[in-house]
Amino acid sequence: MLKALIFDVDGTLAETEDLHRQAFNHAFSELGLPWHWDPACYADLLTVMGGKERLAHYVATRHGDAAGLRARMPEIHTRKTAIYGGLVAEGALALRPGVARLIAEARAGDVRLAIATTTTRANVDTLLAVNFPAGDRPFDVIASGDEAARKKPASDIFDLAVQRLGIAPSEAIAFEDSAAGIRSALDAGLPVLATRSRYTESHRLDGAFSAVSDLGEPGHPHRHVFGFAWADGVVTLAGLREWHESV
């Protein structure tokens, strides 16, 4: 029986990545650092999972005074997180097509909901606060940021979400947008539905049982990429159950 849906956040629940990029650039400017991450640079940096890890990688590979800059990284990341939260709170970030609808279907159908992400908990909380009514938090479990020893593509964060749900991996479906995220979910024993996002359009989505541009809405179908095809171009709880029962 399908008991849970487990969502990644960045690029999956919402197109967050460019807002993260803008927040980093604002933080660099405020703190007097002559850095600027354009979309091409940020796309390269996204091969490193986790904002703190991404920043550390950038400092280590692009700057000679790594020792001095490393000491500033907590300050930089803390400021970036605050700026990002402010941008989201201003309404700059809506959920991707079909996400709110599928979440509502899952809740009505007694299917539990979880998040498994490498982003910080503060970022998750702000996104949910903006997109769901006060006091109405749909996710039963949130596994985020520094709660896992290893970032994706390691399976740790999905393992943690499954453990907290108290289910077998085969009783859930994971939603991801990146090659690293798919690898993480598969290694945790979860089947994966992949959605394309702005910064993962070129990623191979090998291992997903279905890949689509987004979850789709009635009257606004998604683009099918490969694998299981969804009736009317819309991923629904009924369709997920149909696929799950078939395997």
Side-chain angles (χ1 to χ4, degrees), residues 192-194 205-213 222-231 235 243:
V192 185
L193 191 158
L205 303 178
D206 298 347
F209 70 86
S210 179
V212 292
S213 60
H222 57 229
R223 173 173 52 86
H224 181 254
V225 179
F226 66 76
F228 187 84
W230 306 88
V235 177
W243 177 85

Side-chain angles (χ1 to χ4, degrees), residues 51-61 70 73:
K52 294 176 183 176
E53 292 75 11
R54 201 166 295 137
L55 180 62
H57 173 79
Y58 176 76
V59 168
T61 58
R70 273 199 297 269
M73 285 193 291

Side-chain angles (χ1 to χ4, degrees), residues 24-244:
F24 270 115
N25 286 335
H26 282 304
F28 299 155
S29 178
E30 286 186 12
L31 297 173
L33 295 164
W35 304 341
H36 180 81
W37 292 354
D38 63 23
C41 171
Y42 195 64
D44 289 339
L45 290 171
L46 282 175
T47 60
V48 179
M49 303 301 288
K52 294 176 183 176
E53 292 75 11
R54 201 166 295 137
L55 180 62
H57 173 79
Y58 176 76
V59 168
T61 58
R62 307 287 182 95
H63 297 281
D65 182 26
L69 290 170
R70 273 199 297 269
R72 297 195 67 187
M73 285 193 291
E75 174 193 14
I76 297 166
H77 191 266
T78 296
R79 185 65 195 128
K80 174 264 170 182
T81 298
I83 293 168
Y84 174 84
L87 292 171
V88 175
E90 289 171 3
L93 203 60
L95 300 177
R96 294 194 66 199
V99 169
R101 172 189 51 76
L102 183 58
I103 286 173
E105 290 179 17
R107 297 177 78 184
D110 294 322
V111 173
R112 300 178 72 198
L113 295 160
I115 281 173
T117 180
T118 56
T119 199
T120 63
R121 179 61 185 262
N123 292 342
V124 177
D125 289 343
T126 302
L127 178 66
L128 297 182
V130 167
N131 285 282
F132 294 94
D136 181 20
R137 296 294 180 265
F139 291 93
D140 302 285
V141 164
I142 296 177
S144 63
D146 297 330
E147 292 188 282
R150 300 176 299 167
K151 303 294 187 183
K152 300 172 185 178
S155 65
D156 298 32
I157 200 69
F158 278 108
D159 291 333
L160 180 60
V162 168
Q163 176 188 343
R164 288 178 175 175
L165 286 166
I167 61 172
S170 60
E171 295 175 317
I173 291 174
F175 294 77
E176 269 287 355
D177 74 306
S178 70
I182 292 170
R183 183 74 268 151
S184 175
L186 290 175
D187 286 352
L190 293 157
V192 185
L193 191 158
T195 57
R196 290 285 192 197
S197 66
R198 173 177 176 175
Y199 280 100
T200 63
E201 189 63 35
S202 64
H203 283 213
R204 293 183 62 87
L205 303 178
D206 298 347
F209 70 86
S210 179
V212 292
S213 60
D214 55 72
L215 298 180
E217 295 282 16
H220 297 279
H222 57 229
R223 173 173 52 86
H224 181 254
V225 179
F226 66 76
F228 187 84
W230 306 88
D232 301 318
V234 178
V235 177
T236 63
L237 181 62
L240 290 167
R241 280 175 164 156
E242 176 189 344
W243 177 85
H244 192 264

